[in-house]
Amino acid sequence: MISQFFVLSLRGDNIVFRDYRGDVPKGSAEIFFRKVKFWKEDEEEEAPPNVDGVNYFHVKVAGLLFVATTRVNSSPSLVLELLQRIARVIKDYLGVLNEDSLRKNFVLVYELLDEVIDFGYVQTTSTELLKSYVFNEPIVVDAARLPPLGPAGMFMQGTKRMPATAVTKSVVANEPGGRRREEIFVDIIEKISVTFSSSGYILTSEIDGTIQMKSYLSGNPEIRLALNEELSIGRGGRSIYDYSSSAGAGVVILDDCNFHESVHLDSFDVDRTLSLVPPDGEFPVMNYRMTQEFKPPFIITAVIEEAGTFRAEVILKVRADFSSNITANTVAIQMPLPKYTTRVSFEQEPGAVGQTTDFKEANKKLEWNLRKAWFFQNF
């Protein structure tokens, strides 16, 4: 049970505010923002989740703060998951989730909030079920004005690119004339974590991945998604579904995985296919984790030498370890620096194009951005 829900910009502007129970002061949004803004990360105490008997829960999504308040002892994980789902539902209906889209579609957003939560109690967070109760049409926001998409943005760039509507299209907006385009988009997004030794050898490696789907199919037909036939789940090649896997080339061994509630695994043991009736909007079909040995896309080496009493020189080298006909777009490299660092100067290789460097003094971090990477880079 929650008392209030509101969305704040990073400047503290109150974009959306809904009071469900009236038992929390109206100025809670300002109180919360002041506590977050003036809280220092290097302090021993954490940002206070409770102020004057009011519990605050918040998540940061697309540069916006989604906040819920309550006076009761609610489960933190439940409220945080609710905030994430509300953000996802709003994005499904608006197509674009940012401050501009919220302001232009505030009537639709309030309509969604009234259906998702009633007197502080959650009713549903299903995009598909909400379509029966939501009647306002979204106001389309120009996708050209969108900020960078972040880690998933690599799937939107390059010569082979997804249509722009894949991430900026509303689930309720039809084509001109009332027609509806029958489309479905599938993304595979992976986060790779690799630890290298000082000599460049791999110490640990792990992949956290998700198969993300966004459906615009009318009638919600059943679809089948085929995976690698050499897929095996469970350590040692033993599947948790008790099927045997061949040890030929191309075998993929996942440590563990989980599936969306709409996925049926009836034929998964036989032909490694997933059967599902995709709900409207964006949802993760499958999440997985893998720690088997793999070839990382980049090799990173760093050499640190003392250049004086209060000065050090760092030579950072990044090698793109994939085929020359593949390019990596919007590569961002970050390196934490000592807290007492006051000044940083950069020197890149002669002829470096499309690269920027910066020193973030607030969090003592070095940033190196490459627009495209396809060969050996260093500075």
Side-chain angles (χ1 to χ4, degrees):
M1 180 178 69
I2 68 173
S3 299
Q4 296 172 335
F5 169 83
F6 50 89
V7 181
L8 302 178
S9 70
L10 296 182
R11 302 183 306 274
D13 296 335
N14 202 335
I15 304 173
V16 176
F17 184 91
R18 177 63 83 197
D19 193 338
Y20 292 102
R21 303 184 63 84
D23 58 348
V24 174
K26 297 293 184 180
S28 58
E30 182 179 355
I31 295 173
F32 165 78
F33 184 74
R34 288 182 178 274
K35 290 293 183 180
V36 171
K37 181 178 181 180
F38 297 108
W39 172 68
K40 302 298 183 182
E41 294 186 2
D42 54 356
E43 292 181 357
E44 294 182 0
E45 297 183 0
E46 295 183 353
N50 183 288
V51 180
D52 297 330
V54 179
N55 299 313
Y56 291 87
F57 305 87
H58 79 281
V59 296
K60 185 177 179 182
V61 183
L64 301 169
L65 295 173
F66 287 72
V67 190
T69 65
T70 180
R71 284 192 178 274
V72 301
N73 188 19
S74 301
S75 168
S77 58
L78 174 64
V79 180
L80 294 176
E81 177 65 20
L82 171 63
L83 294 176
Q84 293 281 3
R85 292 197 179 193
I86 290 177
R88 186 190 310 162
V89 167
I90 293 176
K91 181 179 182 297
D92 283 341
Y93 277 83
L94 303 188
V96 176
L97 181 58
N98 60 18
E99 183 177 346
D100 190 24
S101 65
L102 289 180
R103 292 189 184 279
K104 288 185 176 181
N105 293 277
F106 70 94
V107 176
L108 175 56
V109 172
Y110 278 114
E111 188 178 13
L112 287 170
L113 292 178
D114 288 339
E115 298 298 338
V116 171
I117 303 174
D118 183 21
F119 197 60
Y121 294 94
V122 181
Q123 304 303 305
T124 181
T125 58
S126 169
T127 301
E128 184 177 3
L129 294 178
L130 287 170
K131 288 180 69 175
S132 303
Y133 307 101
V134 175
F135 302 99
N136 281 283
E137 288 287 333
I139 299 175
V140 180
V141 176
D142 187 4
R145 299 171 55 188
L146 292 179
L149 296 175
M154 66 182 69
F155 298 101
M156 295 294 299
Q157 302 183 23
T159 55
K160 295 182 179 180
R161 56 181 297 169
M162 234 178 358
T165 55
V167 293
T168 62
K169 183 180 176 183
S170 168
V171 297
V172 295
N174 294 324
E175 297 295 320
R179 294 177 292 104
R180 178 169 179 172
R181 295 180 62 183
E182 302 293 330
E183 299 174 326
I184 188 167
F185 301 95
V186 181
D187 286 339
I188 299 178
I189 302 174
E190 294 184 331
K191 177 183 178 182
I192 302 176
S193 300
V194 182
T195 303
F196 296 97
S197 67
S198 58
S199 55
Y201 289 100
I202 298 177
L203 300 179
T204 61
S205 58
E206 180 177 334
I207 296 178
D208 289 308
T210 181
I211 300 177
Q212 199 80 6
M213 182 176 291
K214 195 167 187 179
S215 173
Y216 300 104
L217 302 178
S218 58
N220 300 104
E222 181 179 2
I223 65 172
R224 298 173 68 85
L225 183 65
L227 304 179
N228 192 328
E229 293 184 357
E230 300 294 337
L231 178 66
S232 179
I233 302 176
R235 285 192 171 275
R238 297 294 299 172
S239 168
I240 59 176
Y241 297 104
D242 294 330
Y243 63 79
S244 59
S245 174
S246 63
V251 62
V252 177
I253 302 176
L254 305 181
D255 288 29
D256 49 62
C257 66
N258 59 69
F259 301 91
H260 190 265
E261 57 188 12
S262 64
V263 176
H264 302 287
L265 302 174
D266 300 337
S267 60
F268 188 69
D269 295 349
V270 180
D271 53 10
R272 317 298 191 266
T273 60
L274 305 177
S275 175
L276 69 152
V277 177
D280 288 324
E282 188 175 357
F283 67 99
V285 177
M286 172 184 178
N287 298 307
Y288 57 90
R289 185 173 63 92
M290 183 176 70
T291 57
Q292 74 175 95
E293 294 183 2
F294 60 88
K295 186 178 181 180
F298 294 95
I299 303 296
I300 301 176
T301 57
V303 178
I304 303 176
E305 299 178 350
E306 292 186 6
T309 307
F310 302 103
R311 186 170 178 268
E313 185 177 279
V314 179
I315 302 176
L316 185 62
K317 298 183 179 181
V318 180
R319 188 181 71 199
D321 202 12
F322 43 76
S323 175
S324 59
N325 60 353
I326 300 175
T327 61
N329 299 325
T330 61
V331 178
I333 302 168
Q334 297 181 344
M335 177 179 174
L337 300 175
K339 291 185 177 181
Y340 48 80
T341 304
T342 58
R343 187 163 53 93
V344 177
S345 60
F346 301 92
E347 182 179 346
Q348 299 183 10
E349 277 191 335
V353 179
Q355 303 183 27
T356 60
T357 54
D358 192 14
F359 170 52
K360 301 296 183 181
E361 189 173 1
N363 51 12
K364 305 299 182 184
K365 187 177 295 184
L366 176 153
E367 288 190 358
W368 180 20
N369 298 292
L370 297 86
R371 188 171 58 188
K372 286 188 178 182
W374 62 90
F375 56 87
F376 181 86
Q377 306 276 0
N378 69 77
F379 76 88

